[in-house]
Amino acid sequence: MKILVINGPNINMLGIREPDIYGKGTYRDLITTISTHCEKKDIYLECFQSNHEGDIVDKIQAAYLKFDGIVINPAAYTHTSVAILDALKSVGIPTVEVHISKVNEREAFRQISYVSYYASKVITGLGFDGYLKAIDFLEENFNNL
């Protein structure tokens, strides 16, 4: 199985940005956690982070026919990007949306998720473990998505 993990804007600032909301783990810690999990499961993993919407769209499009699943934390683009939603719909790759924090308990504007219109599952508020749950979900449901 091949999984692409995409992280949106400011995820590279984990450990620095609002640690009371996102925790003290760094982006490097996140990638290590995900990589270790995938290695144990013999899952090919590629991780990508960008602060630029178009780069994320390009990465999703480039994943076409190359990946079996996408785990995406669109971060701030969750609430604004129809372009990312359309890119996911166009490639047809099973996708799980992940958020480190409990977005449903935060500001009203964070209640909107365009990506959720396509995602097979949305996981929020589990910190880094949300990514692992997303990977497990894609693996366990590979033939059904």
Side-chain angles (χ1 to χ4, degrees):
M1 176 163 221
K2 295 180 178 181
I3 293 181
L4 173 62
V5 174
I6 299 174
N7 283 291
N10 299 308
I11 300 297
N12 59 312
M13 300 301 287
L14 287 172
I16 299 167
R17 177 183 174 229
E18 299 177 279
D20 54 317
I21 294 174
Y22 299 105
K24 294 182 180 180
T26 66
Y27 180 67
R28 183 177 297 272
D29 296 336
L30 172 63
I31 298 308
T32 299
T33 299
I34 296 168
S35 297
T36 301
H37 187 72
C38 286
E39 284 173 19
K40 289 178 185 174
K41 295 177 152 291
D42 198 30
I43 294 173
Y44 173 85
L45 172 70
E46 184 175 326
C47 295
F48 176 79
Q49 187 278 327
S50 180
N51 296 317
H52 306 281
E53 182 179 29
D55 290 346
I56 294 170
V57 169
D58 289 344
K59 190 65 174 179
I60 292 166
Q61 291 176 355
Y64 182 65
L65 298 178
K66 294 179 182 153
F67 287 90
D68 303 308
I70 295 174
V71 173
I72 186 167
N73 181 344
Y77 290 133
T78 303
H79 323 294
T80 63
S81 183
V82 174
I84 291 173
L85 168 63
D86 286 348
L88 290 167
K89 289 166 66 177
S90 71
V91 298
I93 300 170
T95 299
V96 177
E97 177 182 349
V98 173
H99 298 282
I100 294 168
S101 69
K102 293 180 181 179
V103 289
N104 57 327
E105 295 179 6
R106 297 181 62 197
E107 303 92 339
F109 70 87
R110 294 189 196 275
Q111 308 306 308
I112 299 164
S113 169
Y114 288 102
V115 171
S116 70
Y117 287 104
Y118 176 75
S120 299
K121 186 173 184 73
V122 178
I123 300 171
T124 66
L126 298 179
F128 291 0
D129 285 344
Y131 290 83
L132 308 185
K133 299 270 188 213
I135 290 163
D136 292 347
F137 175 83
L138 288 169
E139 181 189 37
E140 291 164 9
N141 295 284
F142 178 64
N143 293 317
N144 301 322
L145 295 174

